[in-house]
């Protein structure tokens, strides 16, 4: 498959380049493959099923990370391109693909300026990936542009009301403010925003709220330690507070309170967490 083609957006402004360089560095921290195995592994097969991905289909996974969806699409027989802003994540995905004997293409790419031709793919997917692109109309426009008419766009996004929504709000209280034009990723977890972003250029936009269970962890303290060791956004926030022990202690307190209050394990049993997400499946208008 040819994947040269046009770029759907102009070159990013200097401030955007700096922001995206910071994002690239943040997502490379820790051990994201471990996060996938422990927390979101089932998103891959779930989105492949929802989008009806099968043999011979041309599939693009946007903000693919280590290929959680892309690898399962390749297992289903599709011709797959996995794109992501962070080379370290693509390298980890490529290594897993080789270990599984799977063939797919790995491309470093910005979700807001995809380097693919118009209508190049039958299915475009993104699982808790494109939602983190700061400019939502740009990311939505690119996913629609590279999808063929009547093709499928499938997304999985964390909801703002769910456990992960609260997780990011807890962290966000201790992080530097985002640029003024950057939209909250959690907006993508609302039906209204999805329809606003896709509805004018897609038809049959279907959404459903679903839940996955994360854990078990020995206790809420173990859950906190797991993310502090392995998840880039958590590591990044703590690094930003390295010279402020008072704020670090406050974050420790709030983070543990979050972990305890959202734990759905029974008293005396391991901690587990119910994580709500929004499943989105739409067809690009002809």
């Amino acid at each position: 498959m040819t994947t040269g083609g046009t770029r759907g957006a102009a070159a990013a402004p200097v401030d955007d380049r700096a922001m995206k360089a910071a994002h690239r560095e943040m997502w490379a921290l820790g051990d994201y493959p471990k996060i996938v195995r422990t927390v979101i592994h089932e998103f891959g097969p779930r989105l492949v099923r929802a989008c009806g991905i099968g043999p011979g289909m041309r599939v693009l996974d946007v903000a693919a990370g280590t290929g959680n969806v892309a690898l399962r699409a390749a297992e289903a027989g599709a011709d797959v391109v996995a794109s992501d802003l962070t080379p370290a994540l693509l390298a980890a995905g490529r290594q897993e693909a080789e270990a599984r004997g799977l063939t797919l293409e790995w491309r470093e790419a910005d979700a807001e300026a995809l380097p693919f031709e118009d209508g190049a793919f039958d299915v475009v997917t993104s699982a808790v990936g494109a939602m983190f692109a700061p400019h939502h109309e740009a990311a939505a426009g690119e996913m629609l542009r590279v999808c063929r008419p009547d093709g499928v766009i499938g997304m999985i996004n964390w909801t703002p009301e769910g456990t992960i929504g609260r997780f990011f709000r807890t962290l966000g209280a201790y992080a530097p403010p985002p640029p003024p034009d950057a939209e909250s990723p959690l907006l993508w977890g609302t039906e209204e925003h999805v329809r606003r972003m896709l509805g004018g250029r897609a038809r049959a936009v279907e959404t459903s709220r679903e839940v996955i269970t994360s854990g078990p962890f020995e206790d809420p303290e173990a859950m906190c330690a797991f993310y502090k060791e392995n998840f880039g956004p958590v590591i990044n926030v703590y690094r930003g507070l390295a010279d402020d022990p008072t704020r670090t202690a406050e974050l420790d307190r709030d983070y543990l309170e979050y972990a305890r209050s959202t734990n759905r394990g029974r008293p005396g049993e391991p901690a587990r967490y119910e994580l709500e997400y929004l499943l989105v499946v739409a067809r690009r208008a002809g």
Side-chain angles (χ1 to χ4, degrees), residues 177-279:
D181 64 338
E183 296 174 273
S184 167
L186 296 173
L187 287 171
W188 274 112
T190 67
E191 292 85 348
E192 297 80 6
H193 190 71
V194 166
R195 293 183 187 281
R196 190 158 56 249
M197 292 297 101
L198 301 179
R201 292 161 288 177
R203 59 180 179 80
V205 180
E206 299 180 359
T207 62
S208 61
R209 290 183 177 238
E210 303 184 8
V211 173
I212 57 170
T213 300
S214 172
F217 298 96
E218 182 178 356
D219 51 33
E221 289 82 353
M223 191 280 281
C224 290
F226 172 80
Y227 280 93
K228 286 171 72 173
E229 180 179 351
N230 296 296
F231 193 43
V234 177
I235 296 169
N236 195 55
V237 170
Y238 272 96
R239 282 189 177 184
L241 300 177
D243 297 327
D244 191 337
T246 300
R247 289 286 283 167
T248 298
E250 290 171 351
L251 174 55
D252 282 338
R253 178 201 63 209
D254 290 349
Y255 189 22
L256 183 56
E257 190 279 329
Y258 154 81
R260 287 172 173 166
S261 64
T262 55
N263 174 23
R264 296 297 175 260
R266 295 178 179 177
E269 294 185 355
R272 64 179 183 82
Y273 298 86
E274 295 178 354
L275 313 180
E276 185 185 62
Y277 64 92
L278 187 71
L279 174 67

Side-chain angles (χ1 to χ4, degrees), residues 126-142:
S126 188
V128 294
M131 65 178 290
F132 291 101
H135 308 113
H136 295 186
E137 285 193 8
E142 283 295 89

Side-chain angles (χ1 to χ4, degrees), residues 74-221:
E75 288 174 340
D79 175 12
V80 183
V81 178
S83 68
D84 198 273
L85 190 66
T86 305
L89 299 185
L90 294 174
R94 187 181 296 109
Q95 184 175 17
E96 183 176 351
E98 292 173 354
R100 292 177 177 219
L102 297 172
T103 300
L104 57 160
E105 183 178 350
W106 302 87
R107 291 286 298 272
E108 183 179 346
D110 183 347
E112 297 179 4
L114 295 169
F116 308 110
E117 295 176 356
D118 296 358
F121 299 94
D122 301 305
V123 182
V124 179
T125 62
S126 188
V128 294
M131 65 178 290
F132 291 101
H135 308 113
H136 295 186
E137 285 193 8
E142 283 295 89
M143 288 189 288
L144 287 158
R145 180 184 65 79
V146 301
C147 186
R148 67 167 172 80
D150 205 42
V152 174
I153 296 167
M155 299 182 76
I156 286 177
N157 304 316
W158 298 121
T159 65
E161 304 88 353
T163 300
I164 295 297
R166 184 173 167 188
F167 171 83
F168 280 113
R169 286 193 296 275
T170 300
L171 289 180
Y174 293 89
D181 64 338
E183 296 174 273
S184 167
L186 296 173
L187 287 171
W188 274 112
T190 67
E191 292 85 348
E192 297 80 6
H193 190 71
V194 166
R195 293 183 187 281
R196 190 158 56 249
M197 292 297 101
L198 301 179
R201 292 161 288 177
R203 59 180 179 80
V205 180
E206 299 180 359
T207 62
S208 61
R209 290 183 177 238
E210 303 184 8
V211 173
I212 57 170
T213 300
S214 172
F217 298 96
E218 182 178 356
D219 51 33
E221 289 82 353

Side-chain angles (χ1 to χ4, degrees), residues 22-108:
H23 282 190
R24 187 181 293 111
E25 180 180 354
M26 177 184 71
W27 288 105
L29 298 172
D31 188 345
Y32 193 73
K34 194 170 184 178
I35 294 290
V36 172
R37 293 192 301 270
T38 305
V39 183
I40 61 171
H41 178 268
E42 68 183 73
F43 281 172
R46 181 69 186 96
L47 201 50
V48 166
R49 290 195 306 272
C51 294
I53 294 173
M57 290 183 173
R58 296 170 296 167
V59 176
L60 173 65
D61 191 20
V62 179
T66 56
N68 188 26
V69 178
L71 292 166
R72 279 83 214 172
E75 288 174 340
D79 175 12
V80 183
V81 178
S83 68
D84 198 273
L85 190 66
T86 305
L89 299 185
L90 294 174
R94 187 181 296 109
Q95 184 175 17
E96 183 176 351
E98 292 173 354
R100 292 177 177 219
L102 297 172
T103 300
L104 57 160
E105 183 178 350
W106 302 87
R107 291 286 298 272
E108 183 179 346

